[in-house]
Structure formats: C-alpha cells, structure tokens
Amino acid sequence: MRFLLLLLIPLFFILHGVNENYGLIPFSTVTELALKYVIITVAVYLLSSLTFRSPDKRFLFSFFLLVIYFFFGAFHDLLRGFFGNGFIVSYKFILPFLLVIIVLIYTLLRRNKKSLVKATRYLNLLMIVFVGWEIISGGLNLVKGSHQRNDLSSGQYWYGEQKLLCPEEKRPDIFFVVLDGYTSSACLKEQFGFDNSRIDSLFHSAHFYISDSSKSNYNVTPFSLASTFNLDYLRRGVENKIISSRIFMQSEQTLKNAGIPYYLSQNGYNIKNFGCFDLKVAPLSGPTYFQGNSFRQIDGQTLSSRIRKDIWWNFSLKNIFRGTFRVPNSYKIEKNYHISRNLQNFENLKNELNVSDNRPRFVYCHLMIPHEPFYLKEDGSLVSDSAILTNNLDQKEAYLNQVKYVNKWLETIIRLSASPSTRNRVVIIEGDHGYRFYDSQVPRSREFMNLNAYYFSDGDTSGLYPGISPVNSFRVVMNKYFCDSLPMLRDSSIY
C-alpha cells in the first residue's frame, strides 16, 4: 500500500507538467514518462527496502529521494533566481550538498525510535491533495479549452470557408523550399566577404525574381514558417522575449495547423511534406526534426536530465580512465541522421520537380543547411568531430563553407524548377532567417537578411517587389492564381 502511495509523487509531477503545457504533451509521451517513472519509483523503493525494515522508514526515505529526483529542476531554478550563476548554484556545490542532505535524512531515520505513522499519513494526505488539485486543474483546462492558447496565430484567418474562385486549370503546382538559415547575397558580401553573384545569375537566367532586400519576419524557424503559412504575423506578445521551450512547442503546433496546407488540401491539392515539422494534413513519414521536445519539457526538470544536460558532456567527451577525447555514440547517431535526412529531402524534392501529375501538388521541402551544426566542408567532406564537439570552429567560416556546399544543390533546384511542366508552376526558395551568430557589434537586423526567390512559370512577377518578405509570399500566390484580393502587409522583422 505504501509503495502505491509513493506513485502519487510521479503522478503529481506528470499531471503538473501536462497542465502547465496543456495541449502540447501527447498521450504517447505521458505513457512513456509514466513507464520510466514507475521503474524509477520501484528501484528507489527496493533500495530503501534493503536499508530499512520499518515500512514507515522505508516509505519516508523513498519519499525524500523521489522528491529530490523529481523536483531538483525547480529547486535549482529557484536558487538561480536568488544567486545567479554563482558557486552556490554550481554542481560542484549542489551535488555534494544534496548528498549530505540524503545522508542526514538516512541517519535521522536510522536513529529514530519513535513512531513515524503521523509523518507518513501527513505526507500521503499532502500528495493526495496535490494530485487532486492537478486533476481539478486538468478538468478546468478541458472545460475552458485551454489548448487554444497554444495557437500563436493572429486569429485572422484569410481563407475561412472560401472556395477557389479561379478556373481549375489555372491551379499551379506549388513548391516551397526552405534552406534553413540561408542569408541574402547582400549579407554574404557585407559580413562574410563572399560574392554569391553566380547563384544570383543562375536565378535570373532561370527567370526567378529575387527579393534582394528581403528580411525574414522572425529569426526562429517555426515562428517564421508559421507566419509564412498563415499569411500573417503571429499574435502580439511573442516579440522581444527569450524563446522558452513551451513557446517553441506552441509555434510548432501553430505551424502544424497553418492555413496554406489546410486550404490547399481542402481544394484538391496533394500535399507532400519533406520538411522538419508535421503538418496536420500531411504528417511526416518519420520523426519531426525536434523530436522529443514534449518529453524533455517535463522530464527536463528531473535530477538525471539536468545532470545530463548541464555537465554530463564533460564525461561523455572524455574517457575517464585514459583521459583521451572520444566521440559519443549519441553524437554519431544525430550527425548521421541530420546529414541523411537533408539528402533524402533533397532527393525527394528533385523527384517531385522532375514529374507532373493530374492532381495539383503542394510540396514543402526543408533542408537544415547552411544552418548549424556545421558538419560539412565546402566540398561535402566531413568537418572534424573533435573541432565541432570542442567548439574549435570559426563559426562564420564553417557557415560559409556550408553555404558553398549547398549552393551545388541550389544549382540543381534552380535548373529543375525552370524545366517544362504540364501545369503552371510556382517555386519559392527562401531562407527562413539568416545567420544568427554575429558579434555584438553587428546590428541585429543582419540576423533577418535572407534568401528569397520566386519562380512563376508564366513569367509574370508583377505582384512582387524588392523588399517582399515571407509573410506576403503566399498573399501574392493567392491573388495571382486563386483570384483573391489580399492586401500586402507591412514587411517587418520581429526579434
């Protein structure tokens, strides 16, 4: 019975996390967390059983160990609020301090000769109250529809119940290609001393229109894409704030439910998603690029997760017996996945550009390059793992090398975009934001300078203009090919 009552601690921990992030934590994540935490609770209880014969002492020792494990993150953040990043908050102090606390609790329980029934009952009652409150909070969230707060869109839905107004034969195939973090040619010349005119010439010769003074609307990927796909800025209140993991997940959710893919799917389009994020009408065939965010949002508060995140890399990069550098398997897996996924998305895009279909298509392709991590050199060979893992890279040089490498892919995309097609064709190639790791002396505006190029197979680019930004991209497409009359929004960048 006492063991079952111990399960109230992880139950409260999970329920609190779900309520704090209501609508963002899928049931599969809750199940995974529950399984992990039950195993941990069983292990702690068995450890206590080997130490204490008294059921009450066994329960109390397990209780305190579990409280330290689950609520370490909240305690650590509280200390940071008071002491900043000083010695008291460092793991050099806090881990020995916790060990002393555990030994002290153990000693007091061993020496105690009095009945501990009241203390046990009090803690049980306390946890029952806490769990009950979280259950009530969850019910209130359900009744109030709190999940709607995760939608960061402006709420001004341009499509509504609108149907296509233009003739069906005018519907184009639409290709939306994101080169993540690809800055503009002007910025490459100004900040990197690199002449990107060869790519610009290829764009022009293939009859692309380049918005040469474009700036992205946001400097974070899911914010930028959610805004682009919703043809509007996100709701007020997200600007000038540090991006928490919760807001990041909300932006992913907003992108998932965005308007353009939904509208086109409702009007006969085949939606192809070769991106990094799920779309509601076209989920990815594999995991999203930021897979595990929902799990980490809750589990990231535990002692083991904080240690792994904050200090374990010191040990994972170094053989503690020999003192030699090593490359962790987790890094190798992540690196291989990143490179192979980019290559697969690129191949999928080439295949789609090479074929025609009776049904109109919307193809979203997202290449996480030249965005960091900087795995590739200019010729496509691999950067030294030790240089990446030890931060021994010139970031700007590494970024530029990946620009030069992906330019070879870009040449192919440009050529295939302009190839003959039986259907009207729209190709938008953009950087969702620019390079973001400048010195403090460089104006913030450089983070937003982005590649932004458009191809309309009929050659009519009259709706475009030099400073058009992504928030207006699909407004032009809707007006041109779907006989809409959407006004252009002010082209702004929101930090």
Side-chain angles (χ1 to χ4, degrees), residues 336-404:
N336 291 335
Y337 171 73
H338 180 95
I339 294 173
S340 62
R341 182 161 186 165
N342 272 337
L343 183 60
Q344 182 182 6
N345 285 354
F346 176 55
E347 292 298 325
N348 286 333
L349 173 63
K350 286 198 300 181
N351 290 338
E352 291 296 329
L353 286 169
N354 269 319
V355 300
S356 297
D357 198 339
N358 292 330
R359 184 180 174 191
R361 292 167 294 158
F362 175 75
V363 179
Y364 159 48
C365 177
H366 197 131
L367 304 174
M368 286 295 292
I369 187 171
H371 190 285
E372 74 281 352
F374 303 119
Y375 293 129
L376 301 174
K377 298 179 182 178
E378 176 182 351
D379 61 0
S381 60
L382 297 176
V383 174
S384 162
D385 292 328
S386 62
I388 296 173
L389 290 168
T390 58
N391 255 343
N392 192 23
L393 275 180
D394 182 317
Q395 297 291 303
K396 290 183 72 172
E397 181 183 354
Y399 170 82
L400 184 57
N401 280 334
Q402 292 207 152
V403 168
K404 293 175 181 177

Side-chain angles (χ1 to χ4, degrees), residues 113-129:
K113 303 298 182 183
K114 298 180 181 179
S115 171
L116 296 170
V117 173
K118 287 185 178 179
T120 301
R121 287 177 178 172
Y122 171 76
L123 291 176
N124 284 334
L125 179 60
L126 187 67
M127 291 311 303
I128 288 171
V129 170

Side-chain angles (χ1 to χ4, degrees), residues 32 95 102 105 116 129 169 186 207 260 301 313 328 336 338 373:
E32 187 180 356
L95 290 181
I102 292 170
I105 293 170
L116 296 170
V129 170
E169 61 270 16
H207 305 291
I260 275 292
Q301 298 298 315
W313 59 270
N336 291 335
H338 180 95

Side-chain angles (χ1 to χ4, degrees), residues 44-59:
V44 168
Y45 189 71
L46 289 176
L47 175 65
S48 299
S49 299
L50 297 173
T51 309
F52 297 101
R53 291 184 179 181
S54 164
D56 288 326
K57 290 183 178 180
R58 190 182 304 160
F59 170 84

